[in-house]
Amino acid sequence: MKKTTVNVLTGFLGVGKTTALRHLIAQRPQHEKWAIIVNEFGEIGIDGAVLDNGELPVAEIAGGCLCCVAGPQMTVTVANLLRRERPDRLIIEASGLAHAAGLIDELRAEPLGNALQVGAVMTLVDPRQFANNDYFRQPLYRDQVMIADVLLATKCDLADAPTLAAYRDKAAALFPPKSLIAEISDGAADPAWLDAAVQNKSRYRPAVRPGDASGWQSQGWTFAPDAEFSGEALTELFDSLPQRVDGLVRAKGVFRVLDTWLWLNWTEGQWAANQVAWRRDSRFEVIGSRIDADALEAAIQACVLPAGNGA
């Protein structure tokens, strides 16, 4: 029986994995049948909502990283998706807090290894982080880089010339060498890169003690599909999030605003909005070191327009 090729898309929080995956899906070869699995650290799946346009099967695994808390759920989800959809290619977008090496181990081992052929691992990095040795001292970050077959730099427009030069030099010196090193804008990853050669790697799993915690926590909310949000109030909320959430590293949401559905995405002190096809419900999630859930819920509830007021 022909095996399904599985590609893992990984990278640290907020580096642009979902944007890149949206671009890959839009450029998918028409003769290939794809399926998508999205893993998120928090309990509320935002990225799956962003990717779900009705054209491809999208499954969500929320509430932990695939390499640990959500691991058993991954095996069941993958098996069910393969049996139901029989895709040519499965793409797994791992949580930004996932140790990709552990995920690769699970995909290669039985029973999943009997049905899957592990293809190129695509890791996205922000060159400003990549050039910073403090990031490489973190086993999680180092694992995501070392497991990559394809290394893609995003947000290059935010990096100065010396930082980009440092990224290029450091990436070129990695061992074992990558099959492909590239820089992309607006998530414009080439689907052909998914077929890049898989490099032999001497060691997958970093030295991380079982049960190590990241120190981050998440909080999420969902709202009825007929709830409408004030665009002005959401703008003020997202501008103020760093003051509302201690150690904020990520915030994102899908909201109904004037019959348009918007994906709001906060990372690295900036946020942006894009239209999406999702219509099921509105949802919001943050990740930080300490979250006052009651205060934040009051703030997001204040963005909901009164019933019957679509202004």
Side-chain angles (χ1 to χ4, degrees), residues 31 35 46 55 66 69 74 84 87 135 149 152 163 256 274 295:
H31 67 277
I46 303 294
E55 296 180 7
L66 289 174
V69 177
M74 182 193 72
R84 185 176 67 247
Y135 277 86
D149 301 296
L152 302 180
T163 299
R256 181 184 177 190
N274 293 278

Side-chain angles (χ1 to χ4, degrees), residues 167-181:
Y167 158 74
R168 292 163 185 158
D169 290 345
K170 195 170 185 177
L174 290 172
F175 184 84
K178 305 305 179 188
S179 295
L180 175 73
I181 297 172

